Amino acid sequence: MLGDFTGAKLEHFGVTTTFSRDGDKFIVRTDGPDGALHDYPIAYPFGVYPLQQYLVAVPGGRYQALGIAWDSRPKQQGGQRWFHLYPGQQLKPGDPLHWTGRDQTWNYQCAQCHSTNLQKNYDLAANTYATTWTDVDVDCEACHGPGSHHVAWATAHAGGGFYPSGSDDPKRGLTNWLKPADNGHWEMNPDTGIARRTEKLTSTELETCAACHSRRKGIAKSSLPGELYLDAYLPALLGPGLYHVDGQIDGEVYEYGSFLQSRMHAAGVTCSNCHDPHSAKLRAEGNALCAQCHMPAKFDVTEHHHHQPGSTGAQCVNCHMPTKNYMVVDARRDHSMRVPRPDLSVSLGTPNACVQCHVGNSAQWAAQVVRQTTPHYGVALHAGRAGAADAEQQLARLILDQKQPAIARATALPLLAPYVTAASEPALAAAIADADPLVRLAAPRALPAAPSPALLQAIAPLLGDPVRAVRIEAARSLAGTDLLALTPAQQTAFVKATAELVAAENVDADRPEAHLNLGLLEMRRGDAAKADVEYRTALRLDPSFVPAMVNLADLDRARGMDGQGAELLRKALAIEPDNADVLHSMGLLLVRQHDYNGALDLLRRAHQLAPDNARYAYVYAVALNSTGAHGDALALLEQTHRQHPADRDVLLALVSIARDAGNLDTALLHARELVDHYPADPQFHTLLQELQRQ
């Protein structure tokens, strides 16, 4: 217990929290779920450095993490103080991030990676936990597997106080042998000044570490150390909010997704080359750590780093592994170990290490100093996110480029979905057969909304993939499709993979998001009754979970129960009045109720809150046009077209509104764009021909 429990106080948005002692008990007095101040005994401290959190036991077997933590850094570094983990936010009871909320429940959020042999033991019917663990912290078995197997081996082979080196079990009874299984070693290449491995690395180390050092979703109820990572987890790709478009860290993503992008990973470097896994210390300090593989005579010199030797700028990590603070005081380094690219900062708006140190200088300045023009996968990912005119071509090239990191190629696949035509189908086919399972699991996400029979047949073999994450993503993408298009063997594989998918979602049955996903799955399968049950289960777990309200309201719309859906949407708006999804859904509901003025206002607000959402802009423009504001509608569509040049609906609306307004030249211009973007679609050729005859 590192914190000051001698009557210390912290005030945050009008709530004064007090930390005190009562004999052997440590007490916190703070706002509870009712908003009033209460005394709560601390059940456990959590963490050590650079901060320590505190857990409070609450009914239902839950342990909740306080939103106030102790800064355990030395005082001269700003530590030895209480601080709020959300300093700029007023979190009231009922907010998921309030310490009593679902996003602060230790049993789900923290325990799996910070304890050993955790059994969550969640009861959905009762909404309670009976969580158990073998060790309250990370112990030997968390990485090496059951120690009893090692003890049995040692007992059987011990003699004279030592273990014979010629044992019949080279793993010494351990289920997870973390040392490399190949015969390779590192050799320095004097020409490049970079060490290289003599053989391709064979090791379970990275996947063992990744189980906790990654942003991921569990897809197996339990797994042992050493099991294939993608059989137990579904990792996050380089998506918005988690990673910048060039793959640099943004949200709290830990290290795995970054490290997969690095040249070091491609060369065979693993975590323990830099970190001692038992002491958690670095193998060496300063540039000596990098000098293990990078010859100082070539790299630790001014000609390479362009800074005064020994200065902050001459430290390898400051250029290649810049930091970002998480949990206020925890500075974490980006493990993609990249060359600074201020030119991408200029063109894509991404951060760069140069101006992080040279505060006050612009990205343009840095780009002039660090001239770098090497192609980067961030450009293609940006094209996909932004809906650029050549997004399909750029994404397809990235997917096919085996020299690029697998996680970048995998990220390109779901971005490709809105643009897939015959021109990009070869890239999708290649992804389906890719040697890397990370690419294969993302391939089903590239299926367009209405995939062709040929694409369905191409995806179907992934239902029997040897990797669980691939199988469940294939099942998710094929849900609701015509099973008669599959062979009998594929139909059987689909049933099995779908069962795995449902089980994977139920790993997190304590979370409303899992039941939302199950509801969406049931909707795709055409079972509205089961979808209703899942959406309502999500709302039972969290009555303020807006996504479930929106989807249940949409289900009510489909069932002709708009009155009931309207109540749900009104409740959702009361909880999140600036939620663009809710505003858009409520606007469409008012259109169905013929309240066009009210609908127009809500659709406008949805567009303003999500200006990059092409669908919201399109619907608002159509609504404007229906009220006679043809010029405003065309202006909005033209603006949206510049942001999303390949969006079909926007282009079709531009053609239609321009034609109806008698602006044939504009209609022809956009009709030609439709044909250029989608040359295999016969309706666009027909549309162009009709306009040319007018």
Side-chain angles (χ1 to χ4, degrees):
M1 299 289 290
L2 302 177
D4 179 3
F5 283 84
T6 60
K9 299 177 184 290
L10 181 72
E11 191 270 339
H12 182 74
F13 281 97
V15 176
T16 299
T17 298
T18 307
F19 299 88
S20 61
R21 292 281 298 270
D22 180 8
D24 292 335
K25 292 182 179 179
F26 294 81
I27 307 295
V28 59
R29 182 172 181 79
T30 193
D31 59 329
D34 58 357
L37 295 177
H38 301 278
D39 289 336
Y40 297 98
I42 300 298
Y44 294 100
F46 185 61
V48 178
Y49 187 87
L51 69 153
Q52 186 174 71
Q53 290 183 265
Y54 299 91
L55 303 180
V56 173
V58 300
R62 289 169 168 77
Y63 290 96
Q64 297 292 130
L66 288 174
I68 296 173
W70 177 255
D71 186 340
S72 53
R73 299 174 302 165
K75 195 165 188 176
Q76 58 269 32
Q77 295 179 18
Q80 302 302 298
R81 63 184 177 111
W82 292 105
F83 70 98
H84 205 285
L85 290 164
Y86 304 93
Q89 300 181 54
Q90 183 178 13
L91 302 175
K92 297 180 179 180
D95 191 302
L97 289 174
H98 186 267
W99 78 269
T100 59
R102 59 182 166 87
D103 285 351
Q104 304 296 352
T105 301
W106 168 89
N107 312 64
Y108 168 79
Q109 290 284 13
C110 322
Q112 185 72 44
C113 288
H114 289 272
S115 302
T116 301
N117 191 27
L118 185 99
Q119 304 297 319
K120 186 164 59 172
N121 296 329
Y122 174 71
D123 184 327
L124 177 60
N127 191 20
T128 58
Y129 295 90
T131 304
T132 63
W133 57 88
T134 305
D135 302 273
V136 74
D137 55 3
V138 179
D139 233 319
C140 307
E141 292 178 310
C143 300
H144 295 285
S148 57
H149 297 182
H150 179 60
V151 171
W153 171 87
T155 302
H157 293 85
F162 68 92
Y163 302 154
S165 58
S167 165
D168 58 354
D169 182 3
K171 294 184 178 181
R172 303 180 183 181
L174 295 172
T175 57
N176 189 25
W177 187 250
L178 289 167
K179 292 184 177 180
D182 58 86
N183 295 316
H185 61 276
W186 291 96
E187 288 183 347
M188 182 61 72
N189 182 331
D191 295 328
T192 64
I194 300 175
R196 60 187 177 189
R197 222 168 188 282
T198 56
E199 288 189 24
K200 184 176 175 62
L201 177 71
T202 303
S203 171
T204 64
E205 181 186 306
L206 179 58
E207 296 209 335
T208 299
C209 298
C212 288
H213 288 266
S214 64
R215 186 69 174 258
R216 81 292 189 275
K217 170 186 164 40
I219 57 174
K221 189 173 183 180
S222 61
S223 62
L224 289 174
E227 291 185 6
L228 187 67
Y229 173 75
L230 292 177
D231 274 344
Y233 303 100
L234 190 63
L237 300 179
L238 309 181
L242 298 179
Y243 296 88
H244 293 285
V245 74
D246 64 346
Q248 291 187 76
I249 57 174
D250 187 10
E252 195 168 13
V253 291
Y254 314 105
E255 293 79 28
Y256 178 69
S258 299
F259 188 58
L260 289 186
Q261 301 174 60
S262 71
R263 295 180 184 178
M264 284 53 179
H265 167 62
V269 173
T270 61
C271 312
S272 64
N273 290 130
C274 297
H275 302 271
D276 184 304
H278 300 114
S279 69
K281 294 181 179 179
L282 292 171
R283 296 289 188 187
E285 293 300 320
N287 287 356
L289 182 67
C290 304
Q292 295 179 112
C293 295
H294 298 270
M295 191 182 293
K298 285 186 176 287
F299 294 97
D300 199 3
V301 292
T302 302
E303 290 76 15
H304 174 73
H305 53 62
H306 304 289
H307 289 80
Q308 184 70 28
S311 67
T312 299
Q315 295 299 303
C316 309
V317 292
N318 289 338
C319 287
H320 300 295
M321 300 181 68
T323 62
K324 181 173 181 177
N325 272 25
Y326 298 95
M327 304 187 81
V328 183
V329 300
D330 192 1
R332 302 180 199 168
R333 293 199 177 273
D334 189 325
H335 277 62
S336 56
M337 304 180 200
R338 62 185 62 228
V339 174
R341 292 295 300 267
D343 61 307
L344 296 181
S345 300
V346 174
S347 60
L348 306 181
T350 53
N352 69 84
C354 304
V355 297
Q356 184 170 315
C357 285
H358 295 273
V359 178
N361 288 288
S362 68
Q364 288 84 354
W365 165 83
Q368 288 296 318
V369 175
V370 182
R371 294 186 179 275
Q372 179 64 254
T373 58
T374 306
H376 195 280
Y377 50 82
V379 175
L381 298 182
H382 180 265
R385 286 192 191 182
D390 61 345
E392 180 185 21
Q393 297 94 312
Q394 289 205 52
L395 292 169
R397 283 197 298 269
L398 172 56
I399 292 163
L400 290 168
D401 189 351
Q402 294 287 331
K403 294 180 181 179
Q404 299 301 324
I407 193 169
R409 295 191 293 120
T411 302
L413 283 154
L415 290 173
L416 180 65
Y419 315 110
V420 171
T421 67
S424 55
E425 286 188 10
L428 179 50
I432 293 166
D434 200 275
D436 196 305
L438 195 58
V439 176
R440 297 202 303 278
L441 76 83
R445 303 179 191 176
L447 283 182
S452 66
L455 276 181
L456 292 178
Q457 277 297 319
I459 289 287
L462 295 183
L463 294 166
D465 195 273
V467 177
R468 178 183 284 122
V470 179
R471 296 194 297 270
I472 68 172
E473 289 305 287
R476 196 191 308 271
S477 71
L478 292 175
T481 59
D482 183 6
L483 290 183
L484 295 178
L486 306 180
T487 67
Q490 289 169 344
Q491 292 177 29
T492 300
F494 173 76
V495 171
K496 291 180 179 179
T498 300
E500 286 188 296
L501 170 59
V502 171
E505 292 294 348
N506 277 311
V507 167
D508 295 330
D510 47 339
R511 297 289 295 185
E513 297 91 343
H515 298 282
L516 174 67
N517 290 341
L518 288 168
L520 293 170
L521 175 65
E522 295 300 347
M523 284 300 295
R524 292 194 65 181
R525 297 165 72 182
D527 196 327
K530 287 185 178 179
D532 184 284
V533 169
E534 294 294 349
Y535 294 150
R536 293 188 187 280
T537 300
L539 291 172
R540 175 170 67 86
L541 298 181
D542 184 356
S544 63
F545 186 54
V546 166
M549 296 180 193
V550 173
N551 281 277
L552 186 54
D554 191 56
L555 177 56
D556 286 339
R557 173 196 59 78
R559 296 185 292 195
M561 300 163 59
D562 255 347
Q564 186 169 297
E567 288 300 316
L568 283 164
L569 292 176
R570 278 191 281 270
K571 183 177 180 181
L573 277 176
I575 297 168
E576 296 184 13
D578 292 330
N579 186 310
D581 297 334
V582 180
L583 288 164
H584 182 75
S585 295
M586 191 67 183
L588 293 177
L589 186 145
L590 293 183
V591 169
R592 295 192 295 273
Q593 294 179 343
H594 309 294
D595 180 359
Y596 300 117
N597 289 331
L600 192 66
D601 178 60
L602 293 176
L603 295 174
R604 174 186 55 79
R605 289 170 58 196
H607 164 63
Q608 290 174 340
L609 287 165
D612 294 331
N613 188 310
R615 183 66 186 174
Y616 292 175
Y618 161 77
V619 171
Y620 177 46
V622 170
L624 280 171
N625 189 62
S626 68
T627 65
H630 310 302
D632 291 341
L634 273 173
L636 175 56
L637 287 169
E638 290 286 6
Q639 176 187 333
T640 306
H641 175 50
R642 288 191 291 272
Q643 291 177 278
H644 306 275
D647 190 283
R648 298 175 191 237
D649 290 335
V650 170
L651 281 168
L652 279 169
L654 280 167
V655 172
S656 176
I657 294 175
R659 179 186 57 198
D660 292 346
N663 192 340
L664 188 59
D665 288 342
T666 299
L668 278 167
L669 170 67
H670 294 306
R672 291 190 182 99
E673 287 181 299
L674 277 168
V675 171
D676 289 341
H677 286 307
Y678 306 102
D681 195 322
Q683 69 166 323
F684 298 149
H685 289 276
T686 302
L687 176 63
L688 178 59
Q689 290 167 4
E690 289 175 353
L691 288 169
Q692 288 172 333
R693 287 195 293 266
Q694 291 183 17

